[in-house]
Amino acid sequence: MSEKEDFDIDSLAAYLHLSPQQVMRMADRAKLPGRKVGGQWRFAQAEIHHWLEERIGASDEEELVEVEDVLQRDNPGMETSAMIELLPPEAIEIPLIARTHRSVISGMAEVAARTGLLWDPEKMAEAVRMRESLHPTALDSGVALLHPRRPLPNILAQTFVALGRTHQGIPFGGGALTDIFFLICSTSDVEHLRILARLSRLVAAPGFVEGLRNADDAAAAAAWLTEFESTLQ
């Protein structure tokens, strides 16, 4: 399926690892974003991607585990990847020198480009700002999960994550000041959603965010992430 093609009932069922009957019921009950064309359901890929993002954001621990399981079946190469394996040491910046919304995004894109895996940090920063203008990714915990609206495979060598922590909290559109920033750089929707689900689990887990705030440097943050993630089922 090309990026511009819509899902039909069967292809969306295969993508979500549901039965066609389940997808039909969800569509009929307006639980999926879709439209009827010639009496047949059609689902835009961008709208399904956004629906999955919203589902992840509203999910509890059990639901996030289920989402991860579903997405990993579509991406077996990442099935056993721990988050630390997607976070190169040079993609961690503590402290991140930034004091404004705009400078945080530019700074995180530059940190990501330092790895050599992101070839156009300006384009990434522009795409992240556009996504933030639609709906802020900042959480009440003081963490933001930055990402473009859609993956940008043309400017990435591979999927990875960057992490930054500012000296102090910055107004970033959430209910509290934000000082911890993850930048998700993905080459496909499935990879993006899988990482978003895993980061959401980590951020919601008691003690994780506090541990990142207490990390003295990049090495300590990486060690804490490795230790903490090993406790997740």
Side-chain angles (χ1 to χ4, degrees), residues 168-182:
Q168 58 191 20
I170 294 172
F172 218 79
L177 296 178
T178 304
D179 63 342
I180 296 175
F181 302 89
F182 287 94

Side-chain angles (χ1 to χ4, degrees), residues 63-117:
E63 291 169 330
L64 286 169
V65 172
E66 180 183 348
V67 170
E68 281 191 306
D69 288 342
V70 167
L71 293 170
Q72 284 168 356
R73 295 186 204 121
D74 266 359
N75 195 11
M78 288 181 64
E79 188 166 352
T80 58
S81 295
M83 187 56 57
I84 193 62
E85 297 175 28
L86 300 172
L87 183 63
E90 61 270 33
I92 305 175
E93 185 79 345
I94 296 177
L96 175 68
I97 306 303
R99 295 184 178 180
T100 66
H101 190 286
R102 185 174 185 84
S103 63
V104 163
I105 294 175
S106 295
M108 287 301 298
E110 291 296 336
V111 170
R114 212 160 57 189
T115 65
L117 302 174

Side-chain angles (χ1 to χ4, degrees), residues 1-6 45-46 150-151 187-189:
M1 173 181 291
S2 73
E3 289 293 321
K4 295 183 179 180
E5 288 181 357
D6 291 344
Q45 289 193 51
R150 297 299 305 275
T187 59
S188 73
D189 284 342

Side-chain angles (χ1 to χ4, degrees), residues 136-201:
T137 60
L139 306 172
D140 290 341
S141 58
V143 178
L145 305 180
L146 307 174
H147 57 269
R149 187 176 184 186
R150 297 299 305 275
L152 298 173
N154 292 337
I155 63 172
L156 293 167
Q158 65 185 58
T159 292
F160 70 102
V161 176
L163 166 63
R165 194 190 72 209
T166 54
H167 278 298
Q168 58 191 20
I170 294 172
F172 218 79
L177 296 178
T178 304
D179 63 342
I180 296 175
F181 302 89
F182 287 94
L183 174 60
I184 303 173
C185 302
S186 59
T187 59
S188 73
D189 284 342
V190 171
E191 290 173 330
H192 166 70
L193 293 167
R194 185 265 181 183
I195 294 170
L196 186 60
R198 173 49 62 102
L199 285 175
S200 297
R201 285 186 67 194

